[in-house]
Amino acid sequence: MAVRAVRKAGRIVAAVAATALVAAGAAACGPEDLTGGGDGKASGSSSASVSPSESGSESGGAGGSAVKAPPAGSDALARTPASVKGGVITVGDPKAGHTVKLYEDPRCPICKKFEDSGAQALVKPVAEGKVKVEYTIASFLDKNLGGSGSVNAANALRASVDAGKFPQFHAAVFANQAASETEDAYTPAFLLKIAGTVDGLRGAEFDKAVQKGTYKKWVGVAMQAFTDDGMQGTPTVVIDGKKAASDSLFDQDAFAKELKGSGIS
């Protein structure tokens, strides 16, 4: 009982610290340290303002709301190739002249904020073959806050590559993120409901991979890649080897300008 009490207290402290970081304008989620900044350097698990309608649970979202379909823009990447090498998922033409590296944790609300805004500026140049995006999916928030949602979601995202639906499913996962990262919403059952919004994704092989955790070993490889790259916060975006300014990530026009500065338009 004492151990359970300590764990519960730890989660409460983490949640309180997260709220404080939001008030201070934090712009990143990070492993371990709950006191950091927002440029991808050591930072705390922080909460963004996300409406209840954007959250999820096994019953279909907070308050019983329906599972949300991926943003319409994700269809533009339906024919864009996705591949896996080591712990990295690459979307786009392998021969593209530019590379954007993106580090995310599925439970990180700041990552959702980026996906809803700045990341939309990447859709057109990726679809046109001008840039490829290398995703490193971290899962440290499970350790920070308890639960297994990040691992479950990363496992399902890896399975979606084999099904040829990673861009659409990736968008749908973030569209259905819980209102708070302290809510462990990404269960296998809920991830399959999310997958049901992506045409052609559900099938025996994909469903089994999600339910059985087929790619959990790969999830560990991806987390190690995150660590090996020296990353300490999400989202971190690196454009052709240069870290993008954190204040450009959360506005589509601002991030488009950042991309243009690297010759991507």
Side-chain angles (χ1 to χ4, degrees), residues 132-170:
K132 61 182 179 291
V133 180
E134 296 180 351
Y135 292 87
T136 301
I137 308 297
S139 50
F140 57 79
L141 281 175
D142 287 350
K143 182 177 179 180
N144 284 16
L145 301 164
S148 56
S150 291
V151 168
N152 291 339
N155 171 73
L157 285 164
R158 171 62 183 84
S160 73
V161 178
D162 292 346
K165 300 290 182 179
F166 175 81
Q168 303 97 308
F169 185 57
H170 174 267

Side-chain angles (χ1 to χ4, degrees), residues 137 139 150-151 154-155 215-224:
I137 308 297
S139 50
S150 291
V151 168
N155 171 73
Y215 293 106
K216 283 191 176 179
K217 183 177 180 180
W218 177 86
V219 174
V221 173
M223 186 64 224
Q224 189 59 52

